[in-house]
Amino acid sequence: MSKQWTAETGWVEVIQGGSGAAAAAIPEPDINTVKPDVTFGTFDTRWQHYGLTEAPILFKGTDGKQRPTGRKGIFRDNALAADVSHKYTLLPNEEVLSLLGAAGFNPTQVYRSRGGNAIHAQVLEDKTDRNTHEIVEGDSVKVGVMVRNSIDGSLAFGGDIFTYRLLCSNGAIARGAELGSFTYKHLGEREKLTASVKDMIERVLNAGTELIATYRMAAEISLNQQFADQLAKTYIPDVYIPKYIDMKDRTKPKLTAAAQSVSLWQAFNYMTKEMWHTNRASMITKMRHEQELHKVLTIAVRGRN
């Protein structure tokens, strides 16, 4: 016995036997008549002034009693925006921007993704003595912080080091404990959280020294096979990879003759420029690709992740 689908009959149960087959049509259920016994509990309106509310998701058992599912719904402008764990702490994106302002940092750019549910806030200071660094003559980068958050669980509230290359106006995001990356799992009182955010951002800005040193070393090293081999192991699409790195076979990447005159720094910047300025990817995707690329560069330069 097997099932087959046809446009005329829907699912058909076919019984094989003898010289022929018997078929009996099994009607598809009408989804409009299926009503799951799921409801929402009492709404938390703490963030209603931002258009956000949340409520536990309940399941009605056969005995008629409502029981928790361990999930909750987050509503944005009265529409369901996310279904998340009941342990998830909602922090509005607008509140994050307010916290940054209270901590003394005004984002120079805010990128929104996932229909506005997620943000990346770019924090760049004007203190050139600390945050602007020349990698090679005429080629400088500014060090800042990319603060992230979401209301749907796609991004945890935190921040990562961010470098902005002045020559071609493209940014690159890196992540790592040694680079000062931070993530908040528990949120406390606003005053304490504001002070903590300020300290964390200062820590990231001060952690830029090692990354700048890696960039400067990369400018002195020719593009090598180790970079290509590590790059081939990533999920970075070929569209961002320069033609002088042949990725036709990712198990055996090759460097072309044109690669001989290219430094690791130049290859890195070709890719970050393509990633940063593309319209085909969200900021979340760009962030993940650039973090992978930083790991590749670090291994090629320092021989470690």
mmCIF file of all heavy atoms in Angstrom, residues 153-204:
data_model
loop_
_atom_site.group_PDB
_atom_site.id
_atom_site.type_symbol
_atom_site.label_atom_id
_atom_site.label_comp_id
_atom_site.label_asym_id
_atom_site.label_seq_id
_atom_site.Cartn_x
_atom_site.Cartn_y
_atom_site.Cartn_z
ATOM 1 N N GLY A 153 14.348 37.522 18.973
ATOM 2 C CA GLY A 153 15.283 36.461 19.316
ATOM 3 C C GLY A 153 16.341 36.184 18.275
ATOM 4 O O GLY A 153 17.197 35.312 18.479
ATOM 5 N N SER A 154 16.335 36.903 17.161
ATOM 6 C CA SER A 154 17.322 36.662 16.108
ATOM 7 C C SER A 154 18.699 37.204 16.477
ATOM 8 O O SER A 154 19.723 36.719 15.986
ATOM 9 C CB SER A 154 16.857 37.272 14.790
ATOM 10 O OG SER A 154 16.645 38.667 14.916
ATOM 11 N N LEU A 155 18.748 38.208 17.340
ATOM 12 C CA LEU A 155 20.001 38.795 17.808
ATOM 13 C C LEU A 155 19.911 39.060 19.299
ATOM 14 O O LEU A 155 18.904 39.586 19.777
ATOM 15 C CB LEU A 155 20.295 40.123 17.096
ATOM 16 C CG LEU A 155 20.767 40.109 15.639
ATOM 17 C CD1 LEU A 155 20.846 41.534 15.123
ATOM 18 C CD2 LEU A 155 22.117 39.426 15.513
ATOM 19 N N ALA A 156 20.961 38.705 20.019
ATOM 20 C CA ALA A 156 21.017 39.016 21.445
ATOM 21 C C ALA A 156 21.544 40.432 21.621
ATOM 22 O O ALA A 156 22.375 40.901 20.832
ATOM 23 C CB ALA A 156 21.924 38.023 22.165
ATOM 24 N N PHE A 157 21.083 41.119 22.650
ATOM 25 C CA PHE A 157 21.562 42.466 22.927
ATOM 26 C C PHE A 157 23.033 42.406 23.313
ATOM 27 O O PHE A 157 23.428 41.681 24.232
ATOM 28 C CB PHE A 157 20.734 43.080 24.058
ATOM 29 C CG PHE A 157 21.247 44.422 24.522
ATOM 30 C CD1 PHE A 157 21.666 45.386 23.620
ATOM 31 C CD2 PHE A 157 21.297 44.714 25.882
ATOM 32 C CE1 PHE A 157 22.132 46.621 24.050
ATOM 33 C CE2 PHE A 157 21.750 45.950 26.329
ATOM 34 C CZ PHE A 157 22.176 46.897 25.414
ATOM 35 N N GLY A 158 23.845 43.163 22.600
ATOM 36 C CA GLY A 158 25.279 43.180 22.880
ATOM 37 C C GLY A 158 25.987 44.045 21.858
ATOM 38 O O GLY A 158 25.376 44.866 21.169
ATOM 39 N N GLY A 159 27.304 43.855 21.754
ATOM 40 C CA GLY A 159 28.080 44.656 20.818
ATOM 41 C C GLY A 159 29.358 43.969 20.395
ATOM 42 O O GLY A 159 29.872 43.095 21.096
ATOM 43 N N ASP A 160 29.844 44.352 19.227
ATOM 44 C CA ASP A 160 31.079 43.790 18.670
ATOM 45 C C ASP A 160 31.923 44.913 18.100
ATOM 46 O O ASP A 160 31.411 45.969 17.710
ATOM 47 C CB ASP A 160 30.755 42.783 17.556
ATOM 48 C CG ASP A 160 29.827 41.684 18.028
ATOM 49 O OD1 ASP A 160 30.253 40.881 18.867
ATOM 50 O OD2 ASP A 160 28.669 41.637 17.552
ATOM 51 N N ILE A 161 33.218 44.663 18.032
ATOM 52 C CA ILE A 161 34.113 45.670 17.482
ATOM 53 C C ILE A 161 33.819 45.877 16.003
ATOM 54 O O ILE A 161 33.441 44.949 15.282
ATOM 55 C CB ILE A 161 35.591 45.276 17.711
ATOM 56 C CG1 ILE A 161 36.502 46.490 17.480
ATOM 57 C CG2 ILE A 161 35.983 44.085 16.841
ATOM 58 C CD1 ILE A 161 37.907 46.288 17.994
ATOM 59 N N PHE A 162 33.947 47.117 15.581
ATOM 60 C CA PHE A 162 33.599 47.502 14.217
ATOM 61 C C PHE A 162 34.684 48.435 13.695
ATOM 62 O O PHE A 162 35.116 49.353 14.388
ATOM 63 C CB PHE A 162 32.243 48.212 14.249
ATOM 64 C CG PHE A 162 31.880 48.952 12.995
ATOM 65 C CD1 PHE A 162 31.435 48.261 11.883
ATOM 66 C CD2 PHE A 162 31.952 50.334 12.933
ATOM 67 C CE1 PHE A 162 31.076 48.938 10.723
ATOM 68 C CE2 PHE A 162 31.589 51.025 11.790
ATOM 69 C CZ PHE A 162 31.152 50.314 10.681
ATOM 70 N N THR A 163 35.176 48.150 12.490
ATOM 71 C CA THR A 163 36.169 49.041 11.891
ATOM 72 C C THR A 163 35.600 49.635 10.608
ATOM 73 O O THR A 163 34.894 48.964 9.854
ATOM 74 C CB THR A 163 37.491 48.311 11.583
ATOM 75 O OG1 THR A 163 37.238 47.199 10.715
ATOM 76 C CG2 THR A 163 38.144 47.821 12.866
ATOM 77 N N TYR A 164 35.917 50.885 10.387
ATOM 78 C CA TYR A 164 35.391 51.612 9.232
ATOM 79 C C TYR A 164 36.575 52.151 8.431
ATOM 80 O O TYR A 164 37.343 52.988 8.911
ATOM 81 C CB TYR A 164 34.497 52.752 9.704
ATOM 82 C CG TYR A 164 33.761 53.471 8.607
ATOM 83 C CD1 TYR A 164 32.594 52.939 8.059
ATOM 84 C CD2 TYR A 164 34.231 54.690 8.115
ATOM 85 C CE1 TYR A 164 31.902 53.602 7.056
ATOM 86 C CE2 TYR A 164 33.546 55.368 7.110
ATOM 87 C CZ TYR A 164 32.382 54.807 6.583
ATOM 88 O OH TYR A 164 31.712 55.463 5.585
ATOM 89 N N ARG A 165 36.740 51.627 7.220
ATOM 90 C CA ARG A 165 37.851 52.039 6.362
ATOM 91 C C ARG A 165 37.486 53.331 5.645
ATOM 92 O O ARG A 165 36.526 53.379 4.878
ATOM 93 C CB ARG A 165 38.174 50.934 5.354
ATOM 94 C CG ARG A 165 39.473 51.161 4.586
ATOM 95 C CD ARG A 165 39.694 50.035 3.598
ATOM 96 N NE ARG A 165 40.967 50.176 2.896
ATOM 97 C CZ ARG A 165 41.164 49.838 1.622
ATOM 98 N NH1 ARG A 165 40.149 49.331 0.912
ATOM 99 N NH2 ARG A 165 42.336 49.977 1.060
ATOM 100 N N LEU A 166 38.242 54.385 5.892
ATOM 101 C CA LEU A 166 37.916 55.701 5.360
ATOM 102 C C LEU A 166 38.114 55.782 3.852
ATOM 103 O O LEU A 166 37.413 56.527 3.169
ATOM 104 C CB LEU A 166 38.773 56.764 6.059
ATOM 105 C CG LEU A 166 38.620 56.832 7.584
ATOM 106 C CD1 LEU A 166 39.530 57.905 8.165
ATOM 107 C CD2 LEU A 166 37.176 57.102 7.973
ATOM 108 N N LEU A 167 39.054 54.990 3.308
ATOM 109 C CA LEU A 167 39.391 55.071 1.894
ATOM 110 C C LEU A 167 38.220 54.702 0.997
ATOM 111 O O LEU A 167 38.012 55.307 -0.052
ATOM 112 C CB LEU A 167 40.586 54.160 1.598
ATOM 113 C CG LEU A 167 41.242 54.301 0.216
ATOM 114 C CD1 LEU A 167 41.810 55.706 0.048
ATOM 115 C CD2 LEU A 167 42.343 53.258 0.029
ATOM 116 N N CYS A 168 37.434 53.696 1.404
ATOM 117 C CA CYS A 168 36.333 53.253 0.532
ATOM 118 C C CYS A 168 35.003 53.199 1.269
ATOM 119 O O CYS A 168 34.033 52.639 0.763
ATOM 120 C CB CYS A 168 36.645 51.879 -0.069
ATOM 121 S SG CYS A 168 37.069 50.623 1.141
ATOM 122 N N SER A 169 34.954 53.770 2.466
ATOM 123 C CA SER A 169 33.709 53.889 3.233
ATOM 124 C C SER A 169 33.003 52.559 3.451
ATOM 125 O O SER A 169 31.787 52.451 3.303
ATOM 126 C CB SER A 169 32.744 54.869 2.535
ATOM 127 O OG SER A 169 33.339 56.130 2.388
ATOM 128 N N ASN A 170 33.770 51.522 3.780
ATOM 129 C CA ASN A 170 33.128 50.247 4.089
ATOM 130 C C ASN A 170 33.506 49.796 5.497
ATOM 131 O O ASN A 170 34.587 50.101 6.004
ATOM 132 C CB ASN A 170 33.487 49.156 3.068
ATOM 133 C CG ASN A 170 34.958 48.839 3.023
ATOM 134 O OD1 ASN A 170 35.724 49.552 2.398
ATOM 135 N ND2 ASN A 170 35.361 47.761 3.674
ATOM 136 N N GLY A 171 32.582 49.093 6.119
ATOM 137 C CA GLY A 171 32.790 48.650 7.488
ATOM 138 C C GLY A 171 33.048 47.165 7.569
ATOM 139 O O GLY A 171 32.740 46.404 6.643
ATOM 140 N N ALA A 172 33.595 46.741 8.688
ATOM 141 C CA ALA A 172 33.854 45.325 8.936
ATOM 142 C C ALA A 172 33.611 45.044 10.406
ATOM 143 O O ALA A 172 34.096 45.774 11.284
ATOM 144 C CB ALA A 172 35.287 44.960 8.555
ATOM 145 N N ILE A 173 32.849 44.000 10.680
ATOM 146 C CA ILE A 173 32.494 43.635 12.054
ATOM 147 C C ILE A 173 33.242 42.376 12.457
ATOM 148 O O ILE A 173 33.272 41.392 11.713
ATOM 149 C CB ILE A 173 30.978 43.391 12.179
ATOM 150 C CG1 ILE A 173 30.197 44.607 11.679
ATOM 151 C CG2 ILE A 173 30.595 43.083 13.629
ATOM 152 C CD1 ILE A 173 28.705 44.361 11.512
ATOM 153 N N ALA A 174 33.859 42.398 13.626
ATOM 154 C CA ALA A 174 34.581 41.227 14.139
ATOM 155 C C ALA A 174 34.003 40.865 15.497
ATOM 156 O O ALA A 174 33.450 41.707 16.207
ATOM 157 C CB ALA A 174 36.073 41.513 14.254
ATOM 158 N N ARG A 175 34.137 39.603 15.862
ATOM 159 C CA ARG A 175 33.611 39.156 17.149
ATOM 160 C C ARG A 175 34.626 38.263 17.841
ATOM 161 O O ARG A 175 35.306 37.469 17.212
ATOM 162 C CB ARG A 175 32.289 38.414 16.985
ATOM 163 C CG ARG A 175 31.753 37.814 18.295
ATOM 164 C CD ARG A 175 30.442 37.092 18.109
ATOM 165 N NE ARG A 175 29.347 38.029 17.891
ATOM 166 C CZ ARG A 175 28.064 37.675 17.853
ATOM 167 N NH1 ARG A 175 27.721 36.407 17.989
ATOM 168 N NH2 ARG A 175 27.120 38.574 17.671
ATOM 169 N N GLY A 176 34.689 38.382 19.153
ATOM 170 C CA GLY A 176 35.571 37.528 19.935
ATOM 171 C C GLY A 176 35.743 38.107 21.324
ATOM 172 O O GLY A 176 35.741 39.326 21.508
ATOM 173 N N ALA A 177 35.906 37.226 22.304
ATOM 174 C CA ALA A 177 36.079 37.692 23.681
ATOM 175 C C ALA A 177 37.313 38.568 23.803
ATOM 176 O O ALA A 177 37.315 39.564 24.542
ATOM 177 C CB ALA A 177 36.174 36.488 24.617
ATOM 178 N N GLU A 178 38.362 38.192 23.046
ATOM 179 C CA GLU A 178 39.599 38.969 23.122
ATOM 180 C C GLU A 178 39.447 40.338 22.467
ATOM 181 O O GLU A 178 40.274 41.228 22.667
ATOM 182 C CB GLU A 178 40.748 38.188 22.464
ATOM 183 C CG GLU A 178 40.716 38.131 20.945
ATOM 184 C CD GLU A 178 39.697 37.136 20.389
ATOM 185 O OE1 GLU A 178 39.001 36.470 21.187
ATOM 186 O OE2 GLU A 178 39.601 37.032 19.159
ATOM 187 N N LEU A 179 38.390 40.506 21.687
ATOM 188 C CA LEU A 179 38.126 41.785 21.029
ATOM 189 C C LEU A 179 37.063 42.585 21.763
ATOM 190 O O LEU A 179 36.576 43.597 21.265
ATOM 191 C CB LEU A 179 37.700 41.547 19.577
ATOM 192 C CG LEU A 179 38.755 40.906 18.669
ATOM 193 C CD1 LEU A 179 38.175 40.613 17.295
ATOM 194 C CD2 LEU A 179 39.985 41.784 18.546
ATOM 195 N N GLY A 180 36.665 42.112 22.926
ATOM 196 C CA GLY A 180 35.734 42.860 23.766
ATOM 197 C C GLY A 180 34.265 42.630 23.491
ATOM 198 O O GLY A 180 33.408 43.310 24.072
ATOM 199 N N SER A 181 33.920 41.702 22.591
ATOM 200 C CA SER A 181 32.503 41.449 22.297
ATOM 201 C C SER A 181 31.737 41.157 23.577
ATOM 202 O O SER A 181 32.247 40.477 24.480
ATOM 203 C CB SER A 181 32.364 40.267 21.334
ATOM 204 O OG SER A 181 32.854 40.593 20.059
ATOM 205 N N PHE A 182 30.527 41.664 23.664
ATOM 206 C CA PHE A 182 29.730 41.443 24.868
ATOM 207 C C PHE A 182 28.288 41.134 24.509
ATOM 208 O O PHE A 182 27.769 41.574 23.481
ATOM 209 C CB PHE A 182 29.796 42.664 25.806
ATOM 210 C CG PHE A 182 29.251 43.934 25.213
ATOM 211 C CD1 PHE A 182 27.921 44.309 25.411
ATOM 212 C CD2 PHE A 182 30.068 44.783 24.467
ATOM 213 C CE1 PHE A 182 27.420 45.484 24.885
ATOM 214 C CE2 PHE A 182 29.566 45.964 23.926
ATOM 215 C CZ PHE A 182 28.238 46.321 24.137
ATOM 216 N N THR A 183 27.650 40.329 25.361
ATOM 217 C CA THR A 183 26.249 39.964 25.189
ATOM 218 C C THR A 183 25.590 39.951 26.560
ATOM 219 O O THR A 183 26.160 39.427 27.526
ATOM 220 C CB THR A 183 26.104 38.569 24.544
ATOM 221 O OG1 THR A 183 26.653 38.612 23.223
ATOM 222 C CG2 THR A 183 24.638 38.154 24.452
ATOM 223 N N TYR A 184 24.403 40.526 26.643
ATOM 224 C CA TYR A 184 23.661 40.548 27.900
ATOM 225 C C TYR A 184 22.630 39.419 27.908
ATOM 226 O O TYR A 184 21.770 39.345 27.038
ATOM 227 C CB TYR A 184 22.945 41.888 28.083
ATOM 228 C CG TYR A 184 23.871 43.027 28.441
ATOM 229 C CD1 TYR A 184 24.388 43.860 27.453
ATOM 230 C CD2 TYR A 184 24.236 43.263 29.762
ATOM 231 C CE1 TYR A 184 25.238 44.910 27.767
ATOM 232 C CE2 TYR A 184 25.090 44.307 30.087
ATOM 233 C CZ TYR A 184 25.584 45.121 29.085
ATOM 234 O OH TYR A 184 26.430 46.150 29.406
ATOM 235 N N LYS A 185 22.738 38.552 28.896
ATOM 236 C CA LYS A 185 21.762 37.479 29.063
ATOM 237 C C LYS A 185 20.684 37.875 30.074
ATOM 238 O O LYS A 185 19.565 37.370 30.041
ATOM 239 C CB LYS A 185 22.463 36.192 29.509
ATOM 240 C CG LYS A 185 23.404 35.615 28.466
ATOM 241 C CD LYS A 185 24.011 34.310 28.933
ATOM 242 C CE LYS A 185 24.939 33.728 27.871
ATOM 243 N NZ LYS A 185 25.548 32.448 28.316
ATOM 244 N N HIS A 186 21.053 38.748 30.984
ATOM 245 C CA HIS A 186 20.103 39.199 32.002
ATOM 246 C C HIS A 186 20.149 40.722 32.067
ATOM 247 O O HIS A 186 21.215 41.331 32.047
ATOM 248 C CB HIS A 186 20.448 38.607 33.374
ATOM 249 C CG HIS A 186 20.497 37.111 33.382
ATOM 250 N ND1 HIS A 186 19.369 36.330 33.334
ATOM 251 C CD2 HIS A 186 21.552 36.264 33.405
ATOM 252 C CE1 HIS A 186 19.720 35.057 33.339
ATOM 253 N NE2 HIS A 186 21.033 34.984 33.381
ATOM 254 N N LEU A 187 18.989 41.338 32.130
ATOM 255 C CA LEU A 187 18.896 42.787 32.160
ATOM 256 C C LEU A 187 18.433 43.242 33.533
ATOM 257 O O LEU A 187 17.496 42.689 34.101
ATOM 258 C CB LEU A 187 17.907 43.272 31.098
ATOM 259 C CG LEU A 187 18.176 42.767 29.662
ATOM 260 C CD1 LEU A 187 17.063 43.229 28.736
ATOM 261 C CD2 LEU A 187 19.525 43.245 29.169
ATOM 262 N N GLY A 188 19.108 44.247 34.055
ATOM 263 C CA GLY A 188 18.744 44.751 35.370
ATOM 264 C C GLY A 188 18.083 46.108 35.281
ATOM 265 O O GLY A 188 17.440 46.444 34.287
ATOM 266 N N GLU A 189 18.256 46.902 36.308
ATOM 267 C CA GLU A 189 17.677 48.232 36.336
ATOM 268 C C GLU A 189 18.313 49.105 35.259
ATOM 269 O O GLU A 189 19.484 48.939 34.921
ATOM 270 C CB GLU A 189 17.907 48.868 37.711
ATOM 271 C CG GLU A 189 17.252 48.102 38.862
ATOM 272 C CD GLU A 189 17.603 48.690 40.211
ATOM 273 O OE1 GLU A 189 18.334 49.704 40.235
ATOM 274 O OE2 GLU A 189 17.155 48.144 41.221
ATOM 275 N N ARG A 190 17.531 50.040 34.749
ATOM 276 C CA ARG A 190 18.008 50.869 33.635
ATOM 277 C C ARG A 190 19.296 51.618 33.987
ATOM 278 O O ARG A 190 20.226 51.674 33.178
ATOM 279 C CB ARG A 190 16.918 51.855 33.226
ATOM 280 C CG ARG A 190 17.355 52.782 32.090
ATOM 281 C CD ARG A 190 16.299 53.816 31.766
ATOM 282 N NE ARG A 190 16.840 54.843 30.885
ATOM 283 C CZ ARG A 190 16.841 54.783 29.565
ATOM 284 N NH1 ARG A 190 16.327 53.752 28.956
ATOM 285 N NH2 ARG A 190 17.349 55.775 28.835
ATOM 286 N N GLU A 191 19.363 52.187 35.175
ATOM 287 C CA GLU A 191 20.540 52.966 35.560
ATOM 288 C C GLU A 191 21.799 52.107 35.567
ATOM 289 O O GLU A 191 22.848 52.513 35.050
ATOM 290 C CB GLU A 191 20.312 53.589 36.945
ATOM 291 C CG GLU A 191 21.426 54.550 37.362
ATOM 292 C CD GLU A 191 21.120 55.254 38.669
ATOM 293 O OE1 GLU A 191 19.925 55.408 39.003
ATOM 294 O OE2 GLU A 191 22.077 55.650 39.358
ATOM 295 N N LYS A 192 21.688 50.908 36.119
ATOM 296 C CA LYS A 192 22.839 50.002 36.164
ATOM 297 C C LYS A 192 23.182 49.497 34.767
ATOM 298 O O LYS A 192 24.354 49.341 34.421
ATOM 299 C CB LYS A 192 22.549 48.837 37.100
ATOM 300 C CG LYS A 192 22.443 49.223 38.566
ATOM 301 C CD LYS A 192 22.184 47.999 39.444
ATOM 302 C CE LYS A 192 22.110 48.403 40.912
ATOM 303 N NZ LYS A 192 21.836 47.231 41.786
ATOM 304 N N LEU A 193 22.157 49.236 33.966
ATOM 305 C CA LEU A 193 22.383 48.748 32.612
ATOM 306 C C LEU A 193 23.070 49.815 31.770
ATOM 307 O O LEU A 193 23.982 49.518 30.984
ATOM 308 C CB LEU A 193 21.049 48.343 31.972
ATOM 309 C CG LEU A 193 21.117 47.711 30.579
ATOM 310 C CD1 LEU A 193 21.969 46.450 30.594
ATOM 311 C CD2 LEU A 193 19.710 47.390 30.078
ATOM 312 N N THR A 194 22.669 51.079 31.948
ATOM 313 C CA THR A 194 23.292 52.174 31.215
ATOM 314 C C THR A 194 24.776 52.280 31.543
ATOM 315 O O THR A 194 25.619 52.423 30.652
ATOM 316 C CB THR A 194 22.592 53.508 31.549
ATOM 317 O OG1 THR A 194 21.215 53.430 31.174
ATOM 318 C CG2 THR A 194 23.250 54.670 30.809
ATOM 319 N N ALA A 195 25.101 52.194 32.830
ATOM 320 C CA ALA A 195 26.496 52.261 33.259
ATOM 321 C C ALA A 195 27.286 51.085 32.700
ATOM 322 O O ALA A 195 28.438 51.229 32.270
ATOM 323 C CB ALA A 195 26.568 52.277 34.780
ATOM 324 N N SER A 196 26.666 49.916 32.692
ATOM 325 C CA SER A 196 27.332 48.723 32.178
ATOM 326 C C SER A 196 27.591 48.834 30.682
ATOM 327 O O SER A 196 28.670 48.489 30.196
ATOM 328 C CB SER A 196 26.485 47.486 32.475
ATOM 329 O OG SER A 196 27.080 46.330 31.927
ATOM 330 N N VAL A 197 26.597 49.316 29.932
ATOM 331 C CA VAL A 197 26.753 49.492 28.489
ATOM 332 C C VAL A 197 27.907 50.452 28.188
ATOM 333 O O VAL A 197 28.721 50.212 27.294
ATOM 334 C CB VAL A 197 25.440 50.013 27.861
ATOM 335 C CG1 VAL A 197 25.668 50.488 26.437
ATOM 336 C CG2 VAL A 197 24.383 48.916 27.877
ATOM 337 N N LYS A 198 27.983 51.528 28.947
ATOM 338 C CA LYS A 198 29.067 52.489 28.759
ATOM 339 C C LYS A 198 30.424 51.834 28.979
ATOM 340 O O LYS A 198 31.352 52.005 28.175
ATOM 341 C CB LYS A 198 28.901 53.673 29.723
ATOM 342 C CG LYS A 198 29.957 54.751 29.545
ATOM 343 C CD LYS A 198 29.687 55.949 30.451
ATOM 344 C CE LYS A 198 30.732 57.033 30.229
ATOM 345 N NZ LYS A 198 30.461 58.231 31.073
ATOM 346 N N ASP A 199 30.544 51.062 30.043
ATOM 347 C CA ASP A 199 31.804 50.372 30.335
ATOM 348 C C ASP A 199 32.154 49.363 29.249
ATOM 349 O O ASP A 199 33.317 49.242 28.838
ATOM 350 C CB ASP A 199 31.716 49.656 31.691
ATOM 351 C CG ASP A 199 31.690 50.624 32.864
ATOM 352 O OD1 ASP A 199 32.066 51.800 32.667
ATOM 353 O OD2 ASP A 199 31.278 50.217 33.972
ATOM 354 N N MET A 200 31.150 48.626 28.776
ATOM 355 C CA MET A 200 31.390 47.604 27.762
ATOM 356 C C MET A 200 31.854 48.225 26.447
ATOM 357 O O MET A 200 32.768 47.720 25.789
ATOM 358 C CB MET A 200 30.119 46.782 27.532
ATOM 359 C CG MET A 200 29.771 45.843 28.670
ATOM 360 S SD MET A 200 31.035 44.544 28.846
ATOM 361 C CE MET A 200 30.260 43.549 30.140
ATOM 362 N N ILE A 201 31.237 49.329 26.049
ATOM 363 C CA ILE A 201 31.629 49.992 24.804
ATOM 364 C C ILE A 201 33.052 50.528 24.915
ATOM 365 O O ILE A 201 33.858 50.406 23.975
ATOM 366 C CB ILE A 201 30.637 51.120 24.455
ATOM 367 C CG1 ILE A 201 29.290 50.504 24.032
ATOM 368 C CG2 ILE A 201 31.190 52.021 23.348
ATOM 369 C CD1 ILE A 201 28.218 51.515 23.691
ATOM 370 N N GLU A 202 33.374 51.103 26.061
ATOM 371 C CA GLU A 202 34.745 51.587 26.280
ATOM 372 C C GLU A 202 35.736 50.422 26.185
ATOM 373 O O GLU A 202 36.818 50.560 25.617
ATOM 374 C CB GLU A 202 34.851 52.261 27.647
ATOM 375 C CG GLU A 202 34.141 53.598 27.754
ATOM 376 C CD GLU A 202 34.844 54.698 26.976
ATOM 377 O OE1 GLU A 202 36.009 54.497 26.574
ATOM 378 O OE2 GLU A 202 34.221 55.750 26.755
ATOM 379 N N ARG A 203 35.359 49.277 26.700
ATOM 380 C CA ARG A 203 36.238 48.109 26.664
ATOM 381 C C ARG A 203 36.480 47.654 25.228
ATOM 382 O O ARG A 203 37.603 47.310 24.848
ATOM 383 C CB ARG A 203 35.625 46.961 27.471
ATOM 384 C CG ARG A 203 36.579 45.788 27.675
ATOM 385 C CD ARG A 203 35.949 44.698 28.502
ATOM 386 N NE ARG A 203 34.914 43.988 27.756
ATOM 387 C CZ ARG A 203 34.281 42.900 28.205
ATOM 388 N NH1 ARG A 203 34.552 42.437 29.410
ATOM 389 N NH2 ARG A 203 33.369 42.310 27.474
ATOM 390 N N VAL A 204 35.413 47.659 24.415
ATOM 391 C CA VAL A 204 35.565 47.261 23.015
ATOM 392 C C VAL A 204 36.477 48.240 22.277
ATOM 393 O O VAL A 204 37.365 47.830 21.518
ATOM 394 C CB VAL A 204 34.193 47.191 22.313
ATOM 395 C CG1 VAL A 204 34.380 46.893 20.823
ATOM 396 C CG2 VAL A 204 33.317 46.121 22.942
#
